[in-house]
Amino acid sequence: MSFGAKSRHVRGIAAVVALLAIGASGCSVAESAKEGIKKAARQKSVFDLKVGDCYNPNTAPAADGEAAEEFAIEVVPCAEPHDGQVYGEFKVEDGAYPGDDAIVEAADTRCPVEEQKFAPDTWAIPAGVAGSYYQPTKESWKTGDRLVTCTYTKDSGKITTGSLKSKAMNADQLAYLKGSSGIYTAFWANQPEADDVADDLAGFKAQAAAVTAALDAHLESIKGITQPETVKLRAELDKANEAWKKAAKASDADSYYLAYNTGFTGIDPSKSVAARKELGLSTTVPADDADVWSS
């Protein structure tokens, strides 16, 4: 999941003033008086968002790569269609304002960690829903604002499935999910810019090493699961891991490709559907991954 590129927001120091203004206005021309009153009653300062809150922002979405400033939020019941939901938060280290780039980097690292706590089965997240966050500005930093609020948002339309928080999970489910998504995170996060292995053999070997490390962690976490389909999957992933290890040590492009082809096929997410089914997890392969491994 990519964070911050499509719908990054910053908190303004005029949050309280904006909140009061929205409450006083009541409704717009396009709203009935009843709806306007309800909307005003639901307004909260963006500083008051809590984990689990479902909400509608009052500003238009930011353009790609840009940050829209937000002052107040309409917090709504998750059963109603909504634009976003808070799934985590963390505080940036205190001190001098670190700069926008440093906060973005921190959010890109920490928000996925928070997501794993809130909704560990990422396959259950509806198509089109992605990560976003609210972050401090240089001005709000001066008032003590250190909080980054991690949220789900949708590219278009509303989130209509209620809360995205996962239900309570058993030990086997948590063990499986602990490292499953890390395999694909490692693969994409380390994807070299070069298209041809011969142009960047070292970069592709580094990617293979990262995938191997992720596979090692996943295999370790599921070794105690004795359900038959998961045992079969572990054997398949063991074979894939051996191929990735060979790719990570390849001396030339040809030997890399020979190992890579086996490794890449071995982590095809569709191969985990049977194991996920027996564990009671989501069995819908995310569309982006399905497209990549079917091509």
Side-chain angles (χ1 to χ4, degrees), residues 195-271:
D195 292 328
D196 195 317
V197 173
D199 293 332
D200 187 9
L201 178 60
F204 281 93
K205 289 171 64 175
Q207 180 191 40
V211 173
T212 290
L215 277 165
D216 282 341
H218 184 47
L219 289 165
E220 177 65 23
S221 68
I222 65 174
K223 70 178 183 181
I225 301 176
T226 58
Q227 297 195 55
E229 292 297 338
T230 307
V231 172
K232 289 179 185 177
L233 176 63
R234 191 177 191 282
E236 288 293 323
L237 292 177
D238 262 325
K239 294 178 183 177
N241 200 17
E242 289 304 311
W244 282 107
K245 288 178 179 178
K246 289 180 181 178
K249 298 177 180 178
S251 58
D252 54 50
D254 288 341
S255 58
Y256 175 89
Y257 276 123
L258 286 173
Y260 171 84
N261 288 336
T262 300
F264 182 79
T265 302
I267 62 171
D268 182 342
S270 67
K271 293 186 174 183

Side-chain angles (χ1 to χ4, degrees), residues 13 21 26 28-29 50 96 117 123 129 149 157 165 237 242 249:
I13 60 175
S28 68
V29 175
K50 304 298 183 186
K117 300 174 186 176
W123 283 27
V129 174
T149 304
K165 182 176 176 59
L237 292 177
E242 289 304 311
K249 298 177 180 178

Side-chain angles (χ1 to χ4, degrees), residues 142-241:
K142 296 174 183 177
T143 70
D145 181 19
R146 303 290 185 271
L147 194 67
V148 174
T149 304
C150 308
T151 73
Y152 288 119
T153 58
K154 197 170 183 182
D155 288 341
S156 61
K158 299 277 188 178
I159 300 174
T160 58
T161 53
S163 176
L164 297 177
K165 182 176 176 59
S166 294
K167 296 178 181 178
M169 294 187 172
N170 61 41
D172 281 355
Q173 290 173 322
L174 291 173
Y176 179 87
L177 293 171
K178 184 177 180 181
S180 60
S181 62
I183 299 168
Y184 306 99
T185 298
F187 181 84
W188 293 115
N190 295 278
Q191 182 73 24
E193 292 186 8
D195 292 328
D196 195 317
V197 173
D199 293 332
D200 187 9
L201 178 60
F204 281 93
K205 289 171 64 175
Q207 180 191 40
V211 173
T212 290
L215 277 165
D216 282 341
H218 184 47
L219 289 165
E220 177 65 23
S221 68
I222 65 174
K223 70 178 183 181
I225 301 176
T226 58
Q227 297 195 55
E229 292 297 338
T230 307
V231 172
K232 289 179 185 177
L233 176 63
R234 191 177 191 282
E236 288 293 323
L237 292 177
D238 262 325
K239 294 178 183 177
N241 200 17

